[in-house]
Amino acid sequence: MTHASGDHFPIDLAWGALKANKLQTVAYWSAFLTFGMCVAVLGPTVLDLGCITKSTIHEMSWIFVAQTLCTLLGSVMAGYLANKLDPNSMLLISTVMISVTMGLVPFCNTWLQLFAVFVVMGLFMGQIDTVANVRLLQIYGSLVAPFLQALHFSYGLGAFLSPILAEPFLLNEDCSSMIEDMENKNMTSHEAKQLHDAKKLSNVGDAYFVYAAVNVPVIVLILVALFVDRASKRNTPLAAKEGKPAPSKEYVELAEHHIDSSDGESSPPSSGEPVAQREALTTVSIVLVALTSCLLFLGDAAQAAYGEFIYTYTQMNQKVELSSSAGAYLTSTFWGAFALGRLFSIPLSTCISPAVMLFFNLTGSGSAVVLFFFFRDSIPAIFASSAIYGLFLSSIYPSAIALAEQYVSITSLMTSFLVMAAATGEMTSPVILGWTFIEFGASSLIYYELINGIIALTVLVIIVTIGFRAQPRERRYQSSDYQYQRLDDNPDY
């Protein structure tokens, strides 16, 4: 299969671009691993944190909401600041603050202290989300698809590893009933002893120290990337003058070869300040970004709803006899397949266009929901459909951004808007589905996912139709941010 407009994806240029920017790229991938761990850290540790801070599950649920809201706010802030501050410096500060907040969690003895720590953590999570996406778009331009897939695989891997790191330290005891009795002054001496023992026996604080320590190598890597980037600018007069990192000599030679072999129709990717940020937005670009935001909203809503409620579905469905431990394995099956799907998407994105990838994503995930619908009471079918669903949902986010990049030069503010739309879907879908579970029962999960998929497929068709009629940008397989110069035209290289 080929990419849009019949162009084959230039793997040689993509590989050359990676070699020219390998340190920064690996740093962004590593930061997204941290981001994924932060997103998934609260879920498995919430019961122990509730016992330690003497908070009920209902009270702890507000920390989930606050963290997501602050991730949204942090993303918006990063979209604005990315044009004014050095993105690598922003990423360094954010990862440092992630480690600091992780390290502060064990010292929180009250709900308010814990709330404040996760609010600050959320702000810097949002900045990592926006900055990493923006920088990869700036560096690789229309070559970005496999690099975005790898970025979001790192997120999935972090989310998958997070519960595994936490599990040895957890007591997993719900203290809500004892805390409610304490607040109502009905606590018995036996309950008081149970609560005291739970607080004493839980080692959840050590889990957060481990998270903080795991993040230290990421901080070091980003720090090295920052120094190398600044040294490169100092050593290259043209790049330093214009604030653009220069491509390596090896990469420029490779790009020149690609131009010669394609009759001068393509230009090489590089890195620096996006040209599109100085261009006026057209109506078509605004519409395409809005539609892409809608697609991201739907994709993340489906992902969050299924990941959070498939366990609840098995417990509420009287015809499904599944133990609580097996239900936990079901959730892990979904997230494991999700991470695996993002890994497979890295090579696939070099031979399949983002539009085709998204079509497979949505039809494959829709097939999984149909399987779930017809065999909703069968445990093997639920496990199979969960694995298939996670596998096909996995690359919607990076593929949607890569598709938008084919038609619009994505700026940092646009990226912030896209990230905000996705996070809004992730935040609102559990609230909506929680209400439908109460009103209509557990099967509402199936109908929610099915309707979501139909709307998403419709949005995809509209995006591709508008993008095709508006004519894609001339700069196919060219970075969105660098005015290329040949070696013989620029002696600084």
Side-chain angles (χ1 to χ4, degrees):
M1 291 186 181
T2 59
H3 274 253
S5 307
D7 295 335
H8 289 276
F9 186 87
I11 296 177
D12 55 343
L13 274 184
W15 181 247
L18 176 60
K19 288 197 290 186
N21 300 278
K22 56 182 177 294
L23 188 58
Q24 286 192 52
T25 303
V26 173
Y28 302 143
W29 290 343
S30 301
F32 240 60
L33 180 76
T34 296
F35 177 48
M37 291 178 66
C38 289
V39 169
V41 68
L42 191 54
T45 61
V46 67
L47 293 178
D48 286 51
L49 290 175
C51 292
I52 289 175
T53 60
K54 297 180 180 178
S55 307
T56 64
I57 287 296
H58 176 70
E59 291 170 333
M60 291 297 296
S61 67
W62 285 106
I63 295 181
F64 282 97
V65 176
Q67 187 186 46
T68 306
L69 281 172
C70 287
T71 301
L72 280 172
L73 180 59
S75 174
V76 174
M77 290 169 56
Y80 174 76
L81 293 174
N83 294 326
K84 301 180 180 298
L85 303 176
D86 177 32
N88 288 334
S89 298
M90 291 175 61
L91 197 65
L92 176 63
I93 294 170
S94 297
T95 50
V96 168
M97 288 305 300
I98 291 296
S99 273
V100 170
T101 50
M102 286 286 192
L104 287 174
V105 169
F107 300 101
C108 296
N109 294 313
T110 66
W111 178 88
L112 189 60
Q113 291 173 342
L114 197 65
F115 182 89
V117 168
F118 276 95
V119 160
V120 175
M121 187 187 297
L123 288 172
F124 289 101
M125 286 166 59
Q127 294 194 35
I128 291 174
D129 195 0
T130 295
V131 169
N133 278 288
V134 166
R135 286 299 297 143
L136 286 185
L137 285 165
Q138 290 177 348
I139 290 172
Y140 295 104
S142 53
L143 292 174
V144 77
F147 304 105
L148 275 181
Q149 298 288 357
L151 181 75
H152 289 273
F153 164 69
S154 299
Y155 169 90
L157 182 63
F160 177 71
L161 292 176
S162 190
I164 297 174
L165 289 175
E167 197 278 332
F169 303 99
L170 301 180
L171 187 63
N172 275 329
E173 182 174 341
D174 188 1
C175 301
S176 296
S177 60
M178 293 178 281
I179 294 167
E180 288 173 354
D181 287 343
M182 180 185 69
E183 291 175 348
N184 296 328
K185 298 182 179 179
N186 295 326
M187 177 178 268
T188 64
S189 58
H190 177 66
E191 285 181 323
K193 185 177 184 303
Q194 275 187 307
L195 184 60
H196 179 269
D197 290 345
K199 186 174 180 179
K200 185 177 180 181
L201 292 172
S202 174
N203 294 313
V204 68
D206 294 337
Y208 279 89
F209 284 134
V210 170
Y211 287 128
V214 166
N215 198 38
V216 171
V218 178
I219 296 172
V220 173
L221 181 60
I222 295 171
L223 186 62
V224 172
L226 178 63
F227 280 124
V228 169
D229 182 51
R230 289 185 175 179
S232 175
K233 290 178 181 179
R234 283 196 300 269
N235 294 333
T236 307
L238 177 64
K241 181 179 178 181
E242 298 184 1
K244 303 172 182 177
S248 66
K249 179 176 179 178
E250 176 190 15
Y251 175 55
V252 174
E253 291 173 342
L254 179 63
E256 288 182 333
H257 172 72
H258 181 75
I259 291 175
D260 294 337
S261 64
S262 59
D263 298 324
E265 291 180 357
S266 299
S267 296
S270 190
S271 49
E273 184 69 19
V275 173
Q277 289 183 4
R278 301 188 296 269
E279 299 173 353
L281 288 175
T282 65
T283 302
V284 171
S285 64
I286 293 173
V287 170
L288 285 170
V289 169
L291 287 170
T292 304
S293 298
C294 181
L295 187 58
L296 290 172
F297 175 93
L298 294 167
D300 268 40
Q303 164 197 324
Y306 198 90
E308 291 190 27
F309 281 92
I310 184 58
Y311 172 82
T312 309
Y313 171 86
T314 61
Q315 302 304 303
M316 289 182 64
N317 188 341
Q318 299 297 327
K319 296 180 181 179
V320 178
E321 297 180 0
L322 198 67
S323 66
S324 57
S325 59
Y329 283 119
L330 176 61
T331 304
S332 295
T333 298
F334 171 74
W335 287 115
F338 187 86
L340 189 63
R342 286 191 163 172
L343 179 62
F344 289 158
S345 297
I346 299 171
L348 284 175
S349 63
T350 65
C351 55
I352 300 176
S353 71
V356 174
M357 180 85 80
L358 283 166
F359 178 78
F360 284 142
N361 288 146
L362 295 174
T363 54
S365 58
S367 301
V369 176
V370 171
L371 175 66
F372 191 5
F373 176 81
F374 284 109
F375 301 96
R376 66 186 73 183
D377 301 327
S378 168
I379 293 176
I382 293 173
F383 268 90
S385 58
S386 296
I388 296 169
Y389 198 52
L391 198 66
F392 280 97
L393 271 185
S394 59
S395 59
I396 289 178
Y397 192 120
S399 297
I401 295 179
L403 178 62
E405 170 64 23
Q406 285 191 344
Y407 306 119
V408 181
S409 293
I410 303 295
T411 67
S412 57
L413 286 175
M414 287 180 183
T415 304
S416 177
F417 187 74
L418 295 173
V419 169
M420 185 173 65
T424 302
E426 187 174 349
M427 178 180 64
T428 56
S429 63
V431 177
I432 296 170
L433 202 54
W435 176 79
T436 60
F437 258 60
I438 296 171
E439 294 294 323
F440 304 107
S443 293
S444 58
L445 172 64
I446 303 173
Y447 295 107
Y448 177 87
E449 300 292 344
L450 191 59
I451 293 170
N452 185 298
I454 293 171
I455 297 173
L457 188 58
T458 304
V459 172
L460 173 62
V461 171
I462 296 172
I463 291 174
V464 174
T465 302
I466 294 175
F468 178 77
R469 289 184 176 179
Q471 294 299 321
R473 294 181 284 124
E474 293 293 332
R475 302 174 301 144
R476 296 195 184 97
Y477 303 124
Q478 175 183 355
S479 172
S480 60
D481 56 348
Y482 196 86
Q483 299 300 316
Y484 172 70
Q485 290 180 297
R486 288 174 177 267
L487 265 174
D488 53 339
D489 293 334
N490 183 6
D492 294 325
Y493 295 139

